[in-house]
């Protein structure tokens, strides 16, 4: 791709603590991004954290998205769960509904759904689980964020659900455009300068370089940084500065 993007959504996973435990400096990250993927209690988060995160996002004008996951708190949602269509559809809608209540209480609203972890990667190819996510998203009347070329985004488009193709600033890519599994070398990119350069390239050219050197097209409208990536705050600071310097505006996709 050669077209230059003048604006891109910068999203980050937030609210991923539990009880007294906090994963990241959510408030500092919220000052830098345009969208917040808020954990809904299945992989992380709890009701009080959900309320607090929605309120902090609303105060900054940051969009709120439901970061839905498998029912896997112990595994942080990064383990596959062989859930059937109806169970997964209802689990997703349950999570979205809980976050919608807290968003309303904070004076804002949920605008999109984004699967987390193993669920995100599974619905790239798993049609039954992808359809469950799409149908729950449609029932909630929201947009869906996912990997370009994935089954879940294709099914969403067929169902009339608005879609937002997403790229990852801090994750390694395979030549086929999928993410390098976290247990393999090259799964994470943590150097702030390198991540910032990747995001500017994604915004301006719609491409990312895979771990084998292949240039992969990624027509992303949103770019994610994980809050549990080592040095996540420094990474997002560098990304935001690089986008500003390149003249790329940071604004919500939905």
């Amino acid at each position: 791709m050669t077209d230059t993007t003048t604006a891109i959504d910068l999203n980050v996973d937030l609210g991923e603590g539990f009880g007294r435990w906090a994963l990241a400096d959510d408030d500092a990250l919220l000052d830098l991004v345009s969208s917040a993927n808020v954990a809904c209690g299945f992989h992380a988060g709890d009701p009080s954290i959900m309320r607090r995160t929605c309120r902090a996002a609303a105060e900054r004008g940051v969009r709120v998205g439901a970061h839905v996951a498998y029912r896997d708190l112990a595994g942080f949602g990064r383990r596959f769960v062989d859930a059937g269509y109806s169970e997964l559809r209802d689990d997703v809608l349950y999570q979205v509904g809980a976050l919608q209540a807290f968003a309303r209480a904070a004076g804002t609203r949920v605008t999109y759904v984004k699967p987390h972890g193993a669920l995100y990667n599974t619905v790239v190819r798993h049609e039954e689980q992808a359809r469950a996510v799409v149908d729950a998203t449609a029932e909630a009347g929201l947009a869906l964020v996912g990997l370009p070329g994935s089954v879940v985004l294709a099914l969403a488009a067929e169902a009339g659900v608005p879609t937002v193709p997403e790229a990852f600033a801090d994750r390694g890519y395979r030549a086929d455009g999928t993410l390098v599994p976290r247990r393999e070398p090259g799964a994470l990119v943590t150097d702030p300068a390198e991540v910032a350069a990747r995001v500017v390239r994604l915004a301006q050219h719609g491409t990312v370089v895979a771990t084998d050197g292949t240039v992969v097209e990624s027509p992303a409208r949103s770019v994610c940084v994980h809050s549990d990536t080592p040095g996540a705050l420094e990474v997002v600071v560098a990304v935001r500065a690089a986008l500003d310097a390149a003249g790329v505006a940071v604004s919500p996709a939905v």
Side-chain angles (χ1 to χ4, degrees), residues 141-190:
L142 302 177
L144 182 63
V145 176
L147 199 69
S150 61
V151 168
V152 74
L153 289 194
L155 291 174
E158 290 176 7
V161 172
T163 61
V164 179
E166 176 187 43
F168 289 87
D170 53 0
R171 291 295 313 277
Y173 277 78
R174 290 170 161 170
D176 65 356
T178 59
L179 302 178
V180 175
R182 284 182 174 270
R183 294 178 181 177
E184 295 182 10
L188 284 179
V189 184
T190 59

Side-chain angles (χ1 to χ4, degrees), residues 30-57:
L30 278 168
D31 288 334
L32 299 165
V33 300
S34 47
S35 298
N37 317 314
V38 181
C40 299
F42 274 31
H43 76 282
D46 60 36
S48 294
I49 291 174
M50 292 164 71
R51 177 188 288 274
R52 186 165 62 246
T53 307
C54 286
R55 183 173 62 242

Side-chain angles (χ1 to χ4, degrees), residues 133-146:
V133 171
V134 167
D135 288 353
T137 303
E139 289 177 335
L142 302 177
L144 182 63
V145 176

Side-chain angles (χ1 to χ4, degrees), residues 59-215:
E59 290 170 351
R60 294 162 173 79
V62 172
R63 292 287 197 274
V64 173
H67 204 28
V68 300
Y70 290 129
R71 196 184 294 264
D72 179 30
L73 192 60
F76 197 63
R78 288 187 172 148
R79 302 180 295 191
F80 171 72
V81 175
D82 191 16
Y85 166 83
S86 296
E87 178 186 3
L88 183 58
R89 178 201 58 201
D90 294 346
D91 275 357
V92 169
L93 191 59
Y94 179 94
Q95 293 173 79
V96 173
L99 188 66
Q100 285 176 320
F102 287 117
R104 283 195 299 271
T108 187
R109 63 189 179 93
V110 177
T111 60
Y112 64 92
V113 172
K114 176 184 169 181
H116 163 81
L119 179 59
Y120 187 102
N121 291 319
T122 297
V123 297
V124 170
R125 296 194 175 98
H126 194 300
E127 186 168 341
E128 181 183 21
Q129 291 202 354
R131 193 172 298 281
V133 171
V134 167
D135 288 353
T137 303
E139 289 177 335
L142 302 177
L144 182 63
V145 176
L147 199 69
S150 61
V151 168
V152 74
L153 289 194
L155 291 174
E158 290 176 7
V161 172
T163 61
V164 179
E166 176 187 43
F168 289 87
D170 53 0
R171 291 295 313 277
Y173 277 78
R174 290 170 161 170
D176 65 356
T178 59
L179 302 178
V180 175
R182 284 182 174 270
R183 294 178 181 177
E184 295 182 10
L188 284 179
V189 184
T190 59
D191 177 73
E194 182 180 356
V195 175
R198 282 161 55 96
V199 174
V200 171
R201 177 175 182 144
L202 280 161
Q204 293 186 329
H205 304 292
T207 61
V208 63
V209 179
T211 53
D212 68 353
T214 301
V215 176

Side-chain angles (χ1 to χ4, degrees), residues 1 13 19 28 36 48 93 147 153 159 186 196 223 225 241-242 248-249 253:
M1 292 187 178
D13 302 340
S48 294
L93 191 59
L147 199 69
L153 289 194
V223 179
V225 176
V248 178

